[in-house]
Structure formats: structure tokens, C-alpha cells
Amino acid sequence: MESWIIAPITAIASIIVSFYLYIYINRQDSGTAKMSEIAASIKEGSNAFLRREYRILAIFVVTVAMLIAIFLPSPIWISDKPLDNLSMSIAYIFGASFSGLAGYLGMDVATRANVKTANAAKEGLNKAFSIGFRGGAVMGLSVVGFSLLGISIVYGVTKNPDLVLGFSFGASALALFAKAGGGIYTKTADISADLVGKVELNIPEDDPRNPAVIADNVGDNVGDVAGMGADLADSYIASIVAVMILGQVLGFIEIPLVFAGLGIIASIVGVATIRVGKEGDPGRALNLGTYLTCIIYAVLTYLASTYFGYNLHIWGAVLVGLIAGVIIGITSDYFTSIDRMPTRKTAETSLSGAALNIITGFSYGLYSVFPSLVGIGIASLVSYYLCYQIGIGFGLETEYALFGVGMAAMGMLSVVGMIVASDAYGPIVDNAKGIAEQSGLEEEVVDITDKLDAAGNTAKAITKGFAIGAAGLTVLALLAAFNTTAKEAGVNVVFDLMDPVVLLGIFIGIAIPSVFAAMLMLGVGKNANRMIEEVRRQFDEIPGLREGREGVKPDYARCVDIATVGALRELLPASVFAIVATLAVGFVGGIKALGGYLSGSIFCGLLFALLMSNSGGLWDNAKKYIESGAFGGKGSEAHKAAVVGDTVGDPFKDTSGPSLNTLITVMSLVSTLFAVLIAKYNLLSLL
Amino acid sequence: MESWIIAPITAIASIIVSFYLYIYINRQDSGTAKMSEIAASIKEGSNAFLRREYRILAIFVVTVAMLIAIFLPSPIWISDKPLDNLSMSIAYIFGASFSGLAGYLGMDVATRANVKTANAAKEGLNKAFSIGFRGGAVMGLSVVGFSLLGISIVYGVTKNPDLVLGFSFGASALALFAKAGGGIYTKTADISADLVGKVELNIPEDDPRNPAVIADNVGDNVGDVAGMGADLADSYIASIVAVMILGQVLGFIEIPLVFAGLGIIASIVGVATIRVGKEGDPGRALNLGTYLTCIIYAVLTYLASTYFGYNLHIWGAVLVGLIAGVIIGITSDYFTSIDRMPTRKTAETSLSGAALNIITGFSYGLYSVFPSLVGIGIASLVSYYLCYQIGIGFGLETEYALFGVGMAAMGMLSVVGMIVASDAYGPIVDNAKGIAEQSGLEEEVVDITDKLDAAGNTAKAITKGFAIGAAGLTVLALLAAFNTTAKEAGVNVVFDLMDPVVLLGIFIGIAIPSVFAAMLMLGVGKNANRMIEEVRRQFDEIPGLREGREGVKPDYARCVDIATVGALRELLPASVFAIVATLAVGFVGGIKALGGYLSGSIFCGLLFALLMSNSGGLWDNAKKYIESGAFGGKGSEAHKAAVVGDTVGDPFKDTSGPSLNTLITVMSLVSTLFAVLIAKYNLLSLL
């Protein structure tokens, strides 16, 4: 019996647990007819979006699959193993399908759990929290379950980590589109609903008169649930694959699979034990659950290491990754928390207007990148040297060292089941709050959903920090995997910063995340402009809507439609641009240029991801702080200024920022997949 | 007779011409008593700021000079040439003094030329333009004159390029403080004047009732004239020094001096021939002047290369730099020009509020970094390979190649006399406009100053692009010089991207520009808050001020004082932080970490410099476009939204953005100066 069999077993266990939770949620009551009706609109809108998105993506996936079948791992006309091309192509489709499926399932359960959470809030915080969190857990456990099962199947059948790379590419490519499309959708709706509703007409958030309100709720599901799940799944898979490739030369392919399996066990235990006592604090419960999962994971991997006789330095690298993840999460929390100085100062400057609110929030966002980046740097340095020492005497110092960096990335990501669960909890309770307000539930019930929602925001800051930190280490591992693959192809290059070809690559690379982020944000801007006009039109033209006359309803479906069409139109160019630019740099400048390009995009990608996520979160909470009564409270001039900051932060934190992780993962995977081909055929080598 | 004697001769010629222009300006009429009075307030405020700033900086300079005398080039107790320490220390003081002097002279003439330009506007555009531009030319020619004279003296006396490095460090350190302090001052005043005056009370810009209006005018002088001049002087000197160090091993120390001298000749000719015909376009005249200077420079350096027998590939590298500078300038112009799509689109989105204006402008700013960064990358690649070929056969390929990159940087910067002249023209005519309005000159006269001011903005975009591009190539040359110096110290390192120590350096390095920018912007925010309160207080407490009753005057001096004290308080921490962080990384992590750190800071420094300058310029012009009547014109909702964008852009484009150039230059110089010491003593090598 091989040890890696732990992976598929725990994966299947994870899927079973998530199925059990799914049934539990389905059994709950959906409340009044009005509530069910609203929930149905949200569900319908979400499904419609995903259907249309997947239809477009299917064309893309099939096209790429055909290209893979022809060109990868090596062009079919010169390959000595043409069957590998077919396998790679199938693995790719498999990866894309699994990623799509995980996104769909998560969204499906989220759009069921939202209304049930709202209804359970009538019975108190405890029950409602439990349903909301279990909804998130279905997403979390199915994401890791399907991901690890997929990897196990591809690896079990082919025993070839390079083909697992194809699986990973499929998952990541889909994640990139899902994240970008969902991110544009959600912020289009959010900004439009806020600008016309809150700012112009001064009606509350989630007011049923607002034509954009359903689209806004749909956005939470397609952006935050389906998108975020796909994003973390893609980092998770990529980190495992990177370590498998790095471990290949050391005969360590199976260690990452074993450790991933243990991560699932830790996540299941974490999910099972989480609860909020009477009068408990749900935010604290979520964070405690995350910490508990980390501790369980550390213990399990230690025991496994002794049992299987793995060198404890490898375990040390995992631990370093885990600790770094927690530290980065705490940093993000500091810079975005409603109780801390940065948010409060930013709220205070709102008294002098929107411009100073934005300057201040942006500045704290700039500060916030420092500890996280240094943390990632130190984690990679420590894990490198820990494992470097294993290799001394075997002449394999570098190989072990890079493997160590990969294991640190895995360490961060191994608890991803729990992370996704906490994360998906956010949009579910956000939706629950919306449904409670729109269906006119009592004040106390709405208050409970409000409390649940606030906890979601706290948890989100930490999980986002985790996600970005993990992506950072993962792409470093992928960079190393890219280097290893290039070496195997006979190109033994050093990425020397003083080499002008590497430098040119870096200069192009650092500009890519900027351009990508800009494309997505302009997409949001364009779309929001269209939708704002529509919302204004409805308020102007539908008699009685503004005053909320009985029986008058806005045309929700039109807003859902505008957001859907717009998001689908804007999602392709940015994502295709990133992939094409990567290939162009490779085939023109060769491996060295591509190495520089990847590094540059990683550096600036991480920087912007942190900057945008943190400043966005900070602006959001600065507004909430004012709404809680500070500096004049709701409706004051300071509040108006803070709303502008929050709106600027929306595409920062929910569209561009989190997409950048996925972007750099996809770019790294594309590079690694094409490394052999690029090494052979590139313009610069022909000159 | 040695060829490099061209440098001091042309430098002295440049100083003489600028002195002649200074006398010309002094001879012009200052207009009415009211105009003289306003001009005197501005002059007094500017002088007061500079005096206080220089007093603080003197303490800093003397402290550092003493440290240099003890530690550099090598600690006095182990040095075999302790006299070098004294020389280095003197060269440093010399550099700081020259830089300070150039800043002072430029500001002095600017605060004289402003009122004379305003007065000359009565006689028409032609005369006014001529005075405004010549005022800028005094600054431009004295900056290059003093800089090159200083270099020539230090080199002539010591014949040691390493000591010229001390001179360069002195100039750069002063520039960093001048840029940061001036930048904070100018935007504190600008934001406060705008927010209370334009936004809250709806009175025009430069309205004499506004207590912050004199401080605002002072800010133009201390920020844009003294600061910008110091900034470009520092890049200019650093590029020459870097090339001297890189050329040392090739026996080419004098080529950069010759080429710099020719650049001065080209600038003098450019300055002398510039004019705007009747009904001419002053913006076009400025740009034509810049292009003409470039052409003259290209011809002169070609002739000199043939005459002195320099390899024409070196000339080619210079040409590549020059062309890249122009292209980057044109790109900046595209993204910020009032006639182009990005600005107009941003203006249009203002219809949907401030948030969308900011998202859109920021997005175009993110786009704008792409062509410039790629341009810098290509320029360095081409110049590298051009000169690489000279070295083939001598075993000096890399040495020649890096020398080539340095010459490309020099190519961009050689016309800096003309660039600074166009640039300093901006704040002079801006001031002239302010004086014309405050002293109640006729409508047509104010219109003429308005036209002159608009031309200043056009010219500014191009010169800023030049400045940033040049800084990019200069720091690359400095990075190479750092590497060369480290090699001479016996540390032959490769900055390998896969080396975790290099990586850690990079991760810290990329965060430094963010933190630095944040510190400056928060400084502006804090200061502006204080000043806004004071302005509001004066409007509330001084009877008749709001209504503009005859004889009622605000307390200008108090606002000037607040801006001064605040800027001085905020300028030290950021600048000292940058220097200390550099030394800390070096002495802890060693040469490899420092190399990574420098590279990281260069990459992200350039990126943020471009992003902030361009988006800031764009927001400014989007507002101007609306003010010209589009989308509802002045006072409309769109205009209010655009004003928020403009205010956010203020510290972007005039405080943080341009300071980042200087920051990375100073960091590179510090690293190069300390390279030998760090190679010997660092924590990592002790472990």
C-alpha cells in the first residue's frame, strides 16, 4: 500500500462530509413565501450567469484543449510519445471541469443556505450561524475534495507529474475567468446599487425598491462564492503540482499528496468543531476555527513525518509556511479591522472630504504591503535553508532547498478547506441580511443577520491575507518548477538581474498586473455606467417606485441582464491578454526573458493584490465605522465622503485585487507548460 | 589639452548665459504696487521656507559628512589612504551645497520672473512667454552648469571617480529632502486652498480672499521649481558618475564628461532659439525647443565621436537613450493630455460621481506604465548589445555593454538644461496667473496668463516622462556600478532570481517605494487637515472676509507658517527611513540581498512614479476639460466629482510620484558608496 493513497481517501471523505452538510441545509426551512420568492430570484440570476459564463468558457476550454493536443508537452509531429499530448489535453479538460463543478456546487448551496440562514435568524444567532457556516463548509470541503481527487486520479493513472500540470492549468484558466467575470459582475451591481440608491436617493442598502438589489445579491454569489472558491482551488492545486515537480528529482512526489490529505483531515475536524456559544462572537469563532485547524494540521504532519520517516526539516518548512500565512492574515486584519488605527484615521479624514479619505486609505494600503511582502520573503528564505541542509552531502542542496519553498507554500494552503469555508460564509450571510431586509423581517432578526455579516468581514480579511500569501509562495514554487523544467529541456539558465534580456522580461512583467487590473476595473466602470443609467431610468419612469407604493416592483431582471452581458464581454480580453502576452514574451525572448517576466509579474502582482485588497477592505470598514455613529454617522458629510472611498475600494478588493493571484498562477503555469517548446523555438535564439 | 576640459568650459558658459538672462529678467517692470506687494509675499514665504529647510538640512549634511569622514570609502582605522575619507567628505558637502545653491537660485529667479511675466502679459503673449521661459532657463542652465562644474572640479582635483560619487550623493541626498519637503508643502497648500475655497465656498482659484492662496503660490516655487530642479540635477549628476565608474575599467572616464558638455551646448542653443510667434502656441514652442535640442545634441555628439575617434556604437547607445526619452515623454503626453481619450473618458465618467472618476483615472494610470516600462527595457537591451559588440575580442563584452546602458541614460539626461527650463517655466507662469488674478488685472491679461499656464502643463507631461525614464536608466547604470564596485571589493556575485537571499532583498525592496510614498502622502494629508481647519477658522472669524469687504485681508502668513512647519516635520522621517532601510538590508543581508533590494525598489519605484505622475496629471486635466465647458462645466456635479479626482491626484503627481525617482537614486548611491564596507561586514556572512 503506497502512502499517497491517503490523498484520494481523504478527498472522498471530504466530498462525503460536504454532501452530508448539503443535505442538512436542504432540510432547513426557507421561511415565508416572500423570502422564498426573493431567494428564487437570486438563485435564478446566479444560475443564469453561470450558465452563460460556462457556455463561453466551454468554447475557450475546447479550443485550448485542441491546441494542447497538438503542441504539448511537445509538438505532435516531433514527439516520441504522442499519446502524452492526448493525456495532457484530457487532464486539462478534467481540471477545467472540476474547477467549474466546484464553483457551481458552492454557488448552488450558497443560494440555498442564504434564505435558510435568514429564516433561522428568527430562532437566534446560534442556529443561523450554524447554517451559514455549514453552507460555506460545503463549498470549502467540496473544493479541496474535488481538487485533490482530481490530482490523485491524474497522478494515479499516469504517474507523471507533468500531466498533473495540465490538470492544474485547466483549473487555473477556469478560475481566472470565473474570478474576473464574477468580480466584474459583483462590483458592477454593487456600485450601481450604492450610487443611485444610497448616494442619490438616500434609501437604505438592500431596499427592495432598488432595481439593482437582486443583481447585487447575485453578485455576491457569482463573485465571492464561485470566484473566490475557484481562486483558492487554483492556488491549492498549483502548489501541490509545483511541489510534485520539484520533488520528482528527489523521489518525493508523494509527500505533497500525503500532506495535502492530512490538511483535509484537519479542515474536516476544524469545520466539525466550530461553534458559537450563546451570546458568542461569530467572528471570533471563525478565527478560532482557523487557528485550531492550523494546530491540528501541524500535529498531524509531525506525526506523519515521524511515522513515514520524512526528514523533519521538511515538516519545518511546512510549519514556516503555516506560520507565515497566519502572520500575513493578522497583518491584513490590522490594516482593515474596524477597531484599529488605520481604519479609524481614514474615517476621521473623511471629515475633510472624499479626496482625503481616499489619499489616507490608499496610503495605509501602501503601508500594508510591507509586512506581508517581508513575511513571504522570510518564509521562503527560512524554508529554503531548512531543506538546503538535507541536501548537503548529496550534491542536491538546491533541489532540496526549492522543494522546501514549495512545501512552505503547501503549508499555507493545506488548510484551505477551512479557509474557503470561512470565506464562503461571508456572502451567504450577506445575502441572508439582504433577504431579511427585503422581506421585511423584524428588527431583531435583521440585527442578527447584521452581526453575522460583520463577522464575515473580519474572517474575510484574514482569509484574504492567507490567500495572497499562499499565492506568493506558490508562484515562487512554480517559478522554481519552471526553472527545473527548463533545465530538463537542456536550457541551464541563470536568471541574472544584470542580464539585459532578463531585465527586459522583468520590465514587461511588472507592467502586466497593472494592465490586467486596469482592464478589469475599466470593465467595472463601463458596466456600472450602463447599469446606473438603467437604475435611474427605472426610478424616473416607473410610477410609484421611488415612493415605494404598494405593489410597484422594479424590473430586477433587466439589471441582472446588464450585469451578466457586461461581465461576459469584459472578462475575455483581460484574461486572454495575460496568456497571450506570456507566450509572446516566451517565443520572442526565450527562457531568460520569460523567467524575468514571470518574476516581475509575481513581484508586482503580489504588491498590487495586497495593496488593493487591503485598501479596499479598509475603506469599506471606515464607512461602516462612520455608519456605527462616529464622525456624524449615517447621512453626514463624512459618511458621504466615506461612501466614495468605499466605492473606489469595491473593484480594488473584489475585482482586481483577488484576480491578480490567479493571474500570476496562470502565467506561471503557462510558462512551465510551454518551457520545453520555448526553449527550442524562440526568436532571440534565431538571431 | 585633454578632451574632458569641454565639460568645465561649457559649464561656465552655461552659468554665464544664465546670469545674463537673470539680469535681463531683473530689468523688466514689476507692474503696479499691488502686484509687487503680492509678489513680495510669495518671495518672502518661499525664502522663509527654504531658509528653514536648509537650516535643518545643514545639520543633516554635517552629520553625514562626519560619518563619511570616518567610514568611507573605508573605515579610517583600516584605510591605507585616510586622506580619501576627508576628500570624500568634502566632495559630499560640496555636492549638497551645489544642489542647494541651484535650488535657491532657481527659486529666486522664479519669484522675480512671475510678477514680471504677469506685467508683460499686458503687452501680449509674446513678451510674457519670453520672460516666463527665460526665468525657467536661468534655473535650467544654472542647474546643469553648477552640476557639471562641480563634477569637473572634483574629478580634476582628484582624478578619482569614486570621490565624484561622494559629490553625487551629496547632491542626491539634498534633492531627496528638497523634493519631499517641497512636495509636501505645495500640496498641503494646494489641497487646503481648493477644498475650502473651491469646494466649500465656491470661490475661484487664486481668489485673494482665500487665506491659503499665498501659501499655494509659495508651494509652486518651493515644490515645483526648487524641488524639480534638484530632482533632475540629481539624476543628471548620478548618470554621469555612474558612467564614469563603469567607464573606468575601459579607460573611458572622460567620454561622459565630453558628452555632457555637448549637451549643455545643445541646451544653450535650444534656449536661445525658442520663441513663440504672433498668435503662436506656447506649448508647441516649448516642445519644438525640446526636440530641436535633441537633434542638435545628436549631431554634436556624432561629430565629436568622429573627431575624437570614439566607437560609433557608443554614440548609438546615446541616441537610443535620447529616442527612448522622447517616446516616453510622448506616452505620458498621450495619457495626460486634455485632447486625448483617457482624459476625456475620465471626465465623462465624472457624470456618475467621484468614485468612478477615480477608478477610471487610476485605471488609465495603470495602463500608462506599460509603454514606458517596455521602452526603458528595450532601450537598455539595445544599448547593451550595441556596446557589447565593441568588447568582443577583448574579453570585455559585459563591461562595454554596461557602459552602453549608462551612456543611454546619459543620452536621455544630456538635454536636461532644456528640460528643466521648460519645466520651471510652468510654476512661473502659474504664479503669474495667480498674481494677475489677485491684483485684479483686466480679463484679457488674465486670459493670456491662462494660456501660458496651459502650455506649462503640456510641457510638464513630456518633461516628467523624460525625468522618470532617465531615472530608470540611470538607476540601472547605478545598479551596474554597484555591481562593479562590489566586484572590485572582491565579491563576485550573481544576482540570481532563484537565490533566496536575493529574493528576500527583492521582496523588501519592492515594498520600500510604497512605504515611502505612503509616508509622504500621509504627511500631506495630516498637514492639509491642519491647514483646512485654519482656513475655515479665518473665514468664520474674520468679519467681512467671506464677502470680500474692502480692506479686509486674511492672515496669509499663518497659512504659510503651517505649511512650512508641517512640511519640515514630515520630510525627515521618510527620507531617513529610506537611507536607514538600505543600510540595514546591506549590513544584515550582504551584497546579494542588497542587490535584490535595489532591483526591487527600482522596479516598483519606476512603476509607482509613472502611475502616480500620469494618473495625477490625467485627473488634473479631466477637471480642466470639464471646466472648459464639457459635461456641465464649472459648478456642475461632474465638476465636483472631477475636483475630488484632481485633489487625490495632487499628492500623487507632485509629492510622491516625482520623489520616487530621487528615492531610488539615493538608495542606489548609498549602496554603491557602502558596497565595499558591506561586502566586508555583514551579518549573514558571519552566520
Side-chain angles (χ1 to χ4, degrees):
Chain A
M1 206 58 190
E2 285 171 280
S3 56
W4 70 271
I5 208 73
I6 292 177
I9 292 174
T10 53
I12 290 169
S14 182
I15 294 170
I16 292 172
V17 173
S18 85
F19 186 66
Y20 165 80
L21 293 174
Y22 181 74
I23 291 173
Y24 164 83
I25 287 165
N26 254 342
R27 254 200 242 114
Q28 307 302 317
D29 189 9
S30 292
T32 66
K34 172 114 193 178
M35 287 168 77
S36 298
E37 186 200 332
I38 295 168
S41 310
I42 297 173
K43 196 169 171 55
E44 192 192 311
S46 306
N47 280 334
F49 175 73
L50 227 57
R51 261 201 311 277
R52 287 169 79 163
E53 185 179 58
Y54 283 0
R55 213 177 302 144
I56 293 180
L57 294 189
I59 301 171
F60 173 82
V61 167
V62 170
T63 314
V64 173
M66 286 194 296
L67 291 175
I68 289 177
I70 300 173
F71 291 107
L72 291 178
S74 49
I76 200 149
W77 58 90
I78 58 165
S79 170
D80 46 352
K81 282 191 274 177
L83 214 64
D84 270 8
N85 287 34
L86 191 63
S87 310
M88 174 77 85
S89 181
I90 293 172
Y92 168 80
I93 293 178
F94 199 48
S97 313
F98 266 45
S99 169
L101 183 67
Y104 175 78
L105 286 180
M107 220 197 56
D108 181 70
V109 73
T111 52
R112 289 167 196 271
N114 53 10
V115 63
K116 295 166 196 288
T117 305
N119 188 56
K122 295 178 193 159
E123 295 171 43
L125 182 73
N126 221 320
K127 181 81 188 289
F129 173 81
S130 169
I131 295 176
F133 179 72
R134 286 181 184 181
V138 172
M139 175 81 183
L141 294 179
S142 63
V143 157
V144 291
F146 279 114
S147 299
L148 194 57
L149 185 63
I151 293 176
S152 303
I153 292 174
V154 177
Y155 177 67
V157 172
T158 67
K159 294 277 174 187
N160 182 351
D162 291 331
L163 292 177
V164 185
L165 204 61
F167 178 82
S168 180
F169 179 49
S172 287
L174 203 97
L176 184 62
F177 290 111
K179 201 83 209 69
I184 294 175
Y185 187 109
T186 179
K187 289 305 121 176
T188 298
D190 191 5
I191 290 179
S192 311
D194 280 4
L195 273 186
V196 185
K198 277 204 232 171
V199 179
E200 292 181 8
L201 299 179
N202 223 352
I203 60 178
E205 198 168 333
D206 290 325
D207 189 293
R209 284 172 290 173
N210 196 329
V213 74
I214 293 288
D216 190 11
N217 288 324
V218 169
D220 289 341
N221 291 299
V222 300
D224 293 352
V225 179
M228 189 53 134
D231 175 23
L232 278 164
D234 116 277
S235 295
Y236 179 68
I237 297 173
S239 75
I240 297 176
V241 175
V243 193
M244 285 172 83
I245 291 176
L246 292 171
Q248 207 167 4
V249 61
L250 308 168
F252 280 172
I253 299 182
E254 300 180 356
I255 296 185
L257 291 172
V258 172
F259 275 43
L262 298 175
I264 287 191
I265 297 176
S267 293
I268 293 177
V269 177
V271 164
T273 51
I274 214 168
R275 54 186 32 99
V276 48
K278 272 204 175 157
E279 294 303 307
D281 175 353
R284 215 167 135 255
L286 288 172
N287 287 344
L288 274 183
T290 304
Y291 296 143
L292 180 69
T293 309
C294 290
I295 292 167
I296 295 170
Y297 181 67
V299 173
L300 283 180
T301 47
Y302 176 79
L303 295 177
S305 296
T306 7
Y307 179 77
F308 290 117
Y310 303 150
N311 191 308
L312 278 182
H313 282 210
I314 296 176
W315 176 74
V318 170
L319 208 62
V320 166
L322 203 59
I323 293 170
V326 173
I327 290 175
I328 294 172
I330 292 174
T331 310
S332 299
D333 185 46
Y334 172 77
F335 279 100
T336 56
S337 165
I338 200 162
D339 303 319
R340 302 289 185 162
M341 187 272 284
T343 299
R344 302 217 157 172
K345 273 271 170 203
T346 306
E348 191 187 328
T349 56
S350 310
L351 288 170
S352 304
L356 279 180
N357 166 290
I358 287 169
I359 292 170
T360 310
F362 191 76
S363 300
Y364 283 115
L366 286 170
Y367 269 132
S368 75
V369 306
F370 188 75
S372 298
L373 286 177
V374 174
I376 294 172
I378 290 177
S380 68
L381 184 73
V382 173
S383 55
Y384 185 97
Y385 277 114
L386 269 176
C387 291
Y388 184 91
Q389 291 161 5
I390 314 177
I392 295 174
F394 305 97
L396 288 169
E397 291 89 346
T398 316
E399 284 77 3
Y400 270 100
L402 294 176
F403 179 74
V405 176
M407 287 305 289
M410 267 207 61
M412 270 195 195
L413 278 163
S414 46
V415 295
V416 84
M418 180 66 198
I419 301 283
V420 172
S422 306
D423 218 64
Y425 160 88
I428 293 175
V429 292
D430 191 348
N431 258 241
K433 189 183 128 197
I435 293 172
E437 285 195 0
Q438 288 169 61
S439 56
L441 296 191
E442 295 129 58
E443 198 63 45
E444 301 110 69
V445 179
V446 174
D447 276 355
I448 286 178
T449 57
D450 219 22
K451 232 185 211 165
L452 293 173
D453 187 27
N457 282 324
T458 312
K460 211 172 177 182
I462 295 189
T463 55
K464 254 190 197 160
F466 239 91
I468 294 171
L473 281 178
T474 301
V475 287
L476 284 184
L478 281 173
L479 189 62
F482 165 73
N483 201 12
T484 308
T485 311
K487 262 186 201 147
E488 281 167 12
V491 199
N492 198 350
V493 294
V494 171
F495 299 126
D496 181 359
L497 279 171
M498 298 308 298
D499 184 324
V501 176
V502 175
L503 263 183
L504 176 61
I506 293 181
F507 273 114
I508 301 175
I510 56 175
I512 296 291
S514 307
V515 173
F516 181 78
M519 288 173 96
L520 293 190
M521 287 203 293
L522 285 178
V524 171
K526 265 189 256 175
N527 251 353
N529 258 327
R530 264 176 247 143
M531 192 144 157
I532 285 171
E533 274 172 34
E534 170 64 20
V535 175
R536 283 184 187 152
R537 188 196 64 77
Q538 291 199 19
F539 272 119
D540 286 346
E541 295 181 7
I542 300 178
L545 179 62
R546 205 184 289 250
E547 304 79 31
R549 200 190 307 154
E550 193 71 35
V552 173
K553 268 174 61 177
D555 184 355
Y556 298 127
R558 242 192 98 63
C559 286
V560 170
D561 200 55
I562 289 176
T564 305
V565 172
L568 295 177
R569 191 189 301 161
E570 309 291 345
L571 121 194
L572 274 177
S575 313
V576 170
F577 159 77
I579 295 174
V580 169
T582 307
L583 293 176
V585 168
F587 284 111
V588 172
I591 292 291
K592 280 204 288 189
L594 191 55
Y597 169 86
L598 269 188
S599 318
S601 67
I602 291 170
F603 303 144
C604 282
L606 284 175
L607 182 92
F608 274 107
L610 288 162
L611 166 63
M612 293 183 145
S613 297
N614 288 344
S615 52
L618 187 155
W619 278 315
D620 189 357
N621 277 332
K623 182 199 69 177
K624 290 207 170 104
Y625 183 59
I626 293 179
E627 284 174 355
S628 78
F631 307 118
K634 267 193 187 178
S636 64
E637 284 304 310
H639 184 236
K640 278 183 198 151
V643 168
V644 174
D646 178 40
T647 312
V648 170
D650 271 339
F652 270 43
K653 73 176 195 300
D654 291 320
T655 310
S656 297
S659 298
L660 289 170
N661 294 339
T662 322
L663 171 76
I664 52 183
T665 311
V666 168
M667 283 166 62
S668 305
L669 287 170
V670 170
S671 306
T672 312
L673 276 171
F674 281 87
V676 178
L677 218 57
I678 285 172
K680 270 196 204 127
Y681 308 102
N682 66 76
L683 203 61
L684 213 66
S685 70
L686 297 177
L687 294 180
Chain B
M1 205 63 185
E2 286 171 280
S3 57
W4 70 272
I5 209 75
I6 291 177
I9 292 175
T10 52
I12 292 170
S14 183
I15 294 169
I16 292 173
V17 173
S18 85
F19 187 66
Y20 165 79
L21 293 174
Y22 181 74
I23 292 174
Y24 164 83
I25 287 164
N26 254 343
R27 257 204 239 110
Q28 307 301 317
D29 190 9
S30 293
T32 65
K34 173 114 194 181
M35 288 168 72
S36 298
E37 185 200 331
I38 296 167
S41 309
I42 297 174
K43 195 170 172 55
E44 192 191 313
S46 307
N47 279 332
F49 176 73
L50 228 58
R51 259 200 313 277
R52 286 168 78 164
E53 184 179 59
Y54 283 1
R55 212 177 300 144
I56 293 179
L57 294 189
I59 301 170
F60 174 83
V61 166
V62 169
T63 314
V64 173
M66 286 193 298
L67 292 174
I68 289 179
I70 299 171
F71 291 106
L72 292 178
S74 49
I76 201 147
W77 59 92
I78 58 164
S79 170
D80 45 354
K81 281 190 277 178
L83 213 64
D84 270 7
N85 287 34
L86 192 63
S87 309
M88 174 79 85
S89 180
I90 293 172
Y92 168 80
I93 294 179
F94 200 47
S97 314
F98 266 44
S99 171
L101 184 66
Y104 176 77
L105 286 180
M107 220 197 55
D108 182 69
V109 73
T111 52
R112 289 168 196 270
N114 53 9
V115 61
K116 296 170 197 285
T117 305
N119 189 53
K122 295 180 193 159
E123 294 172 44
L125 183 74
N126 219 319
K127 181 79 187 289
F129 173 80
S130 169
I131 295 175
F133 179 73
R134 287 183 184 178
V138 171
M139 174 80 182
L141 294 179
S142 63
V143 159
V144 289
F146 279 114
S147 299
L148 194 56
L149 185 64
I151 292 176
S152 302
I153 293 173
V154 176
Y155 177 68
V157 171
T158 66
K159 293 280 170 182
N160 182 351
D162 290 332
L163 292 177
V164 186
L165 203 62
F167 178 82
S168 181
F169 179 49
S172 287
L174 203 96
L176 184 63
F177 290 112
K179 201 82 209 76
I184 294 174
Y185 186 107
T186 180
K187 290 303 120 177
T188 298
D190 191 6
I191 289 179
S192 311
D194 279 3
L195 273 185
V196 185
K198 276 204 233 174
V199 179
E200 293 182 9
L201 299 179
N202 223 349
I203 60 177
E205 198 169 330
D206 289 327
D207 190 295
R209 282 171 290 172
N210 196 327
V213 73
I214 293 288
D216 189 9
N217 288 324
V218 169
D220 289 341
N221 292 300
V222 301
D224 293 352
V225 179
M228 189 53 133
D231 174 21
L232 278 164
D234 113 277
S235 295
Y236 178 68
I237 297 172
S239 75
I240 297 176
V241 175
V243 192
M244 286 172 82
I245 290 175
L246 292 171
Q248 207 167 5
V249 60
L250 307 168
F252 280 173
I253 299 181
E254 300 180 359
I255 295 185
L257 291 172
V258 173
F259 276 42
L262 297 176
I264 288 190
I265 297 177
S267 293
I268 293 177
V269 177
V271 164
T273 52
I274 212 167
R275 52 185 34 98
V276 50
K278 273 202 176 158
E279 294 305 306
D281 175 354
R284 219 171 130 250
L286 289 173
N287 287 345
L288 274 182
T290 305
Y291 295 143
L292 181 69
T293 308
C294 290
I295 293 169
I296 295 172
Y297 181 67
V299 173
L300 283 179
T301 45
Y302 177 79
L303 294 177
S305 297
T306 5
Y307 180 78
F308 290 117
Y310 303 149
N311 192 308
L312 279 182
H313 281 207
I314 296 175
W315 177 73
V318 170
L319 207 61
V320 165
L322 203 59
I323 293 170
V326 173
I327 290 175
I328 294 172
I330 291 173
T331 311
S332 300
D333 185 45
Y334 171 78
F335 278 100
T336 56
S337 166
I338 199 164
D339 303 319
R340 302 287 186 166
M341 188 271 286
T343 300
R344 301 215 159 174
K345 274 270 170 207
T346 306
E348 192 187 327
T349 55
S350 310
L351 289 170
S352 304
L356 280 180
N357 167 292
I358 287 169
I359 292 170
T360 310
F362 190 75
S363 300
Y364 282 117
L366 286 170
Y367 268 133
S368 75
V369 306
F370 188 75
S372 298
L373 287 177
V374 174
I376 294 172
I378 290 178
S380 68
L381 184 72
V382 173
S383 55
Y384 185 97
Y385 278 115
L386 269 176
C387 293
Y388 185 90
Q389 291 162 4
I390 314 177
I392 295 175
F394 305 99
L396 289 169
E397 291 89 346
T398 316
E399 285 77 4
Y400 269 99
L402 294 175
F403 179 73
V405 175
M407 287 305 289
M410 266 208 62
M412 270 195 195
L413 279 163
S414 47
V415 295
V416 82
M418 180 67 200
I419 301 283
V420 172
S422 306
D423 218 65
Y425 160 89
I428 293 175
V429 294
D430 192 348
N431 259 240
K433 188 183 129 197
I435 293 172
E437 285 193 1
Q438 288 169 62
S439 56
L441 296 191
E442 295 128 60
E443 198 62 45
E444 302 109 71
V445 179
V446 174
D447 277 355
I448 286 178
T449 57
D450 219 20
K451 235 185 211 163
L452 291 172
D453 187 27
N457 282 325
T458 313
K460 211 172 176 181
I462 296 190
T463 55
K464 253 188 198 162
F466 239 92
I468 295 171
L473 281 178
T474 301
V475 287
L476 284 185
L478 281 172
L479 189 63
F482 165 72
N483 201 12
T484 307
T485 310
K487 263 187 200 149
E488 280 165 14
V491 198
N492 199 351
V493 294
V494 171
F495 298 125
D496 181 358
L497 281 170
M498 299 308 300
D499 184 323
V501 176
V502 175
L503 263 183
L504 175 61
I506 292 181
F507 274 114
I508 301 174
I510 57 176
I512 296 291
S514 306
V515 173
F516 181 78
M519 288 173 95
L520 293 190
M521 288 202 295
L522 285 178
V524 171
K526 264 189 258 173
N527 250 353
N529 260 328
R530 260 176 250 144
M531 192 145 157
I532 285 170
E533 274 171 35
E534 170 64 20
V535 175
R536 283 182 185 152
R537 187 195 65 78
Q538 291 199 20
F539 272 117
D540 286 345
E541 297 182 5
I542 300 179
L545 180 60
R546 205 183 289 250
E547 305 79 30
R549 198 191 306 154
E550 194 69 37
V552 173
K553 270 174 60 177
D555 185 356
Y556 298 127
R558 242 190 99 64
C559 286
V560 170
D561 199 56
I562 289 175
T564 305
V565 173
L568 294 177
R569 190 190 302 161
E570 308 291 345
L571 120 195
L572 274 176
S575 313
V576 170
F577 159 76
I579 294 175
V580 169
T582 307
L583 292 176
V585 168
F587 283 111
V588 172
I591 293 291
K592 280 204 287 188
L594 191 55
Y597 169 83
L598 270 188
S599 317
S601 67
I602 291 172
F603 302 145
C604 281
L606 284 176
L607 183 95
F608 274 108
L610 287 163
L611 166 63
M612 294 183 144
S613 296
N614 289 344
S615 52
L618 188 155
W619 278 315
D620 189 356
N621 277 331
K623 183 199 68 177
K624 290 210 169 101
Y625 182 59
I626 293 180
E627 285 175 353
S628 78
F631 307 118
K634 267 193 185 178
S636 65
E637 284 304 310
H639 183 236
K640 276 182 199 151
V643 167
V644 174
D646 179 40
T647 312
V648 171
D650 272 339
F652 271 43
K653 73 176 196 299
D654 291 320
T655 309
S656 298
S659 298
L660 290 170
N661 294 338
T662 321
L663 170 76
I664 52 183
T665 310
V666 168
M667 284 165 64
S668 305
L669 287 169
V670 170
S671 306
T672 311
L673 277 170
F674 280 88
V676 177
L677 217 59
I678 285 171
K680 269 195 205 128
Y681 308 101
N682 67 75
L683 204 61
L684 212 66
S685 71
L686 297 178
L687 294 179

